[in-house]
Amino acid sequence: MTTSNYTPTVQGTGVKATIQRIGGFLAGMVMPNIGAFIAWGLITAVFLEDGGWVPNKDFAALIGPMINVLLPVLIGYTGGRLVYGQRGAVVGSVATIGVVVGFEKPMFLGAMVMAPLAAYLLKRIDGLFQDRIRPGFEMLVDNFTAGILGAGMALLGVWAVGPIVGGLTNLAGDGVDWLVSHHMLGLVSIIVEPAKVLFLNNAINHGVLSPLGVTEAAEAGKSILFMVETNPGPGLGLLLAFFFFGPRSLRPTTPAAMIIQFFGGIHEVYFPYVLMKPRLILAMIAGGAAGVSTFMITGAGLVAGPSPGSIMAYFAVTPKGGWFSMLLGIVIAAAVTFAVAALLLGFGRKAGDEADDAAVTPEEQADREQAELAAAQRRSADNKNLAPASRGSGDDTAPQATAKES
């Protein structure tokens, strides 16, 4: 089972590596189709009859079929292809139609289950018949095995998998609704922000939050779940804190990193800064929670997932009348992260830093700080080799990196 160049091969056999493989595979099914998600989001934002920028009944007719059929089938096609090439893609698409028909809401999670399963079964069946088919009958056998399996998996999707996955989706949605109704959604940042630094951002966003967000957006016209992991505010606040109060030798690296992170949406560029001083994860959690809480209080939401997670993408998928609440959440997240990070950095002069400065020359101190950053970058690279990456949020780990790609 491979996941394409969107998700590098995960090494190791532990629990962490297993989780990262699963997350990487989920991201590998979604990331190649982000363009289709953005197309649907733009059509929804512009032409939605109730709340669109330019309401249009004829163009709005595209919204339902795209979200309910096109996008799940694209995910199913991609998932099947990752497992077993073109044959897996075809049978995965057929199997996905079963779960689409079996549940009335967008069935992204069902596509992520059924398509790889159907492709895997076809791969095993082809293995059983390999070298046992008479010459001249290969195409006949191949087509009928794919057709029979695809039909069977589609029927299974309608009868069992669609309702089961739909029930799990409703359960997860109810959990999110409970957090929102009790004003506790910000607590999700306790999990999301540390996971991001370990390069699990795409697994969390595209594997969990985005599918739930798409379902919610199809019903309510927008969803706050698109904003939980992608908010560029915390990263901007951290980099600003490093610019004003970080080690002097690193301050010149932060302006370029801010541009790449905030405008390019490549969040990975600030991960080495956190890894260099792990206590700063508290600043990221505080900023993320503050941003999500602000989004929740002001009723903010996006019509589709912003990919990459940049301010430009946020503007593109913000519904009419929602810019103020969107910007407020980003600004507050950045401000809170900046304040907490500045405090943790000792506003540039922690006691330990003073002792170090007194013991070494400025040149030696600069060399020490550069060595510290290099060590953080190595840890960041090690984490990334065990984690999913994607074009959506970039795959650079060095602060000086340039944008190439959650």
Side-chain angles (χ1 to χ4, degrees), residues 1 14 20 41 50 56 58 121 172 203-204 206 232 250 252 258 291 321 341 351 355-356 379 383:
M1 183 170 69
Q20 290 171 334
D50 299 322
N56 186 295
D58 294 332
L121 291 176
I204 292 174
H206 301 297
L250 300 183
M258 281 186 267
D356 290 342
R379 293 196 299 270
N383 280 327

Side-chain angles (χ1 to χ4, degrees), residues 163-320:
I164 292 173
V165 176
L168 294 175
T169 300
N170 286 336
L171 183 63
D174 292 340
V176 172
D177 291 338
W178 184 87
L179 291 174
V180 172
S181 62
H182 289 77
H183 307 288
M184 297 173 61
L185 187 60
L187 295 178
V188 175
S189 297
I190 297 175
I191 299 174
V192 171
E193 295 302 329
K196 285 177 66 175
V197 177
L198 295 175
F199 292 91
L200 293 173
N201 48 328
N202 294 311
I204 292 174
N205 187 32
H206 301 297
V208 179
L209 295 175
S210 287
L212 293 175
V214 168
T215 301
E216 183 177 343
E219 297 177 351
K222 62 182 181 180
S223 175
I224 191 178
L225 298 180
F226 293 130
M227 313 172 86
V228 173
E229 186 272 335
T230 60
N231 186 353
L236 177 64
L238 177 80
L239 293 171
L240 283 172
F242 260 89
F243 178 75
F244 288 105
F245 306 116
R248 288 179 176 81
S249 63
L250 300 183
R251 294 179 189 180
T253 69
T254 56
M258 281 186 267
I259 294 173
I260 294 170
Q261 189 268 340
F262 193 69
F263 293 99
I266 304 177
H267 292 203
E268 282 88 343
V269 74
Y270 72 79
F271 294 174
Y273 291 93
V274 181
L275 293 172
M276 183 174 61
K277 297 185 181 295
R279 62 179 179 269
L280 293 176
I281 194 62
L282 297 176
M284 303 306 300
I285 292 173
V292 172
S293 298
T294 303
F295 292 144
M296 183 175 58
I297 293 171
T298 59
L302 304 179
V303 298
S307 184
S310 70
I311 187 63
M312 309 303 293
Y314 262 66
F315 272 104
V317 293
T318 298
K320 185 177 181 180

Side-chain angles (χ1 to χ4, degrees), residues 328-376:
L328 183 64
I330 292 176
V331 169
I332 289 179
V336 171
T337 304
F338 172 79
V340 177
L343 178 64
L344 294 173
L345 289 171
F347 298 100
R349 293 295 290 180
K350 288 188 72 67
D353 296 334
E354 292 176 358
D356 290 342
D357 290 343
V360 297
T361 65
E363 293 78 9
E364 291 172 337
Q365 178 65 16
D367 291 341
R368 178 180 298 180
E369 291 166 353
Q370 290 290 354
E372 190 177 3
L373 178 61

